Amino acid sequence: MKTLVALTLLSLLPLAAHLEAQETTLPPVVPKGFEEFQKNGTLAAMGVWLAGSARDTDDDWDRATAKMESIQNTFGRMLGYEVIRIVVLSPSTQRVYAAVKFEKGVAWMSFDCYKPLKVWIVARFDFGTNANLILPPNILGGK
């Protein structure tokens, strides 16, 4: 019986090493965008977050910028952000959930980050003031 347990544990080592090797640190493109947002405004943040992605088009920039500026006009100056969770989807993809702190309220963001080669890009992001629309139920305390 002890031999069976030992063999089972040994067979799980490659799986554990694979899971350990998956990158769980915050992709640098996310905080860099927040830094630009705080220092230089919405357009600078969008420039970081959309650079190199398929969403790097005028229409996407215009819609995202207008929505973010509307939130900022309602809630005031951005004070910072807090990472809620990083979900590793695969070795080259992660979803990052964040709370964006403003003077008069909070907004919620999710970033789908992708690392095709050596640099992380934001393939897609979403944001708004209703946590139910941005965050999944398991983060909000549901099942």
Side-chain angles (χ1 to χ4, degrees):
M1 182 67 169
K2 289 182 182 179
T3 305
L4 180 59
V5 171
L7 288 174
T8 302
L9 290 174
L10 284 174
S11 69
L12 293 175
L13 283 177
L15 176 61
H18 170 72
L19 292 175
E20 176 111 10
Q22 288 187 343
E23 191 173 341
T24 58
T25 59
L26 182 62
V29 65
V30 174
K32 185 175 179 189
F34 280 125
E35 289 169 22
E36 285 297 318
F37 188 10
Q38 206 162 14
K39 289 179 189 173
N40 301 310
T42 308
L43 282 175
M46 295 302 160
V48 172
W49 288 328
L50 296 177
S53 77
R55 297 193 61 189
D56 190 4
T57 67
D58 290 341
D59 288 344
D60 286 330
W61 276 60
D62 291 345
R63 281 191 298 273
T65 301
K67 187 175 177 182
M68 186 64 82
E69 286 179 350
S70 173
I71 291 171
Q72 193 169 18
N73 287 339
T74 301
F75 288 161
R77 185 175 55 89
M78 180 194 159
L79 302 175
Y81 70 97
E82 298 168 343
V83 173
I84 298 168
R85 184 173 296 161
I86 301 170
V87 180
V88 176
L89 302 171
S90 76
S92 63
T93 58
Q94 294 184 14
R95 178 166 286 174
V96 176
Y97 295 101
V100 187
K101 302 179 338 181
F102 293 91
E103 293 171 313
K104 299 177 187 173
V106 63
W108 311 99
M109 293 190 77
S110 70
F111 298 88
D112 287 350
C113 300
Y114 173 56
K115 189 175 183 182
L117 297 170
K118 294 182 180 186
V119 178
W120 284 99
I121 62 171
V122 174
R124 184 199 144 288
F125 69 94
D126 196 11
F127 57 93
T129 57
N130 185 340
N132 294 322
L133 299 177
I134 307 300
L135 305 177
N138 65 335
I139 288 179
L140 296 171
K143 294 181 180 180

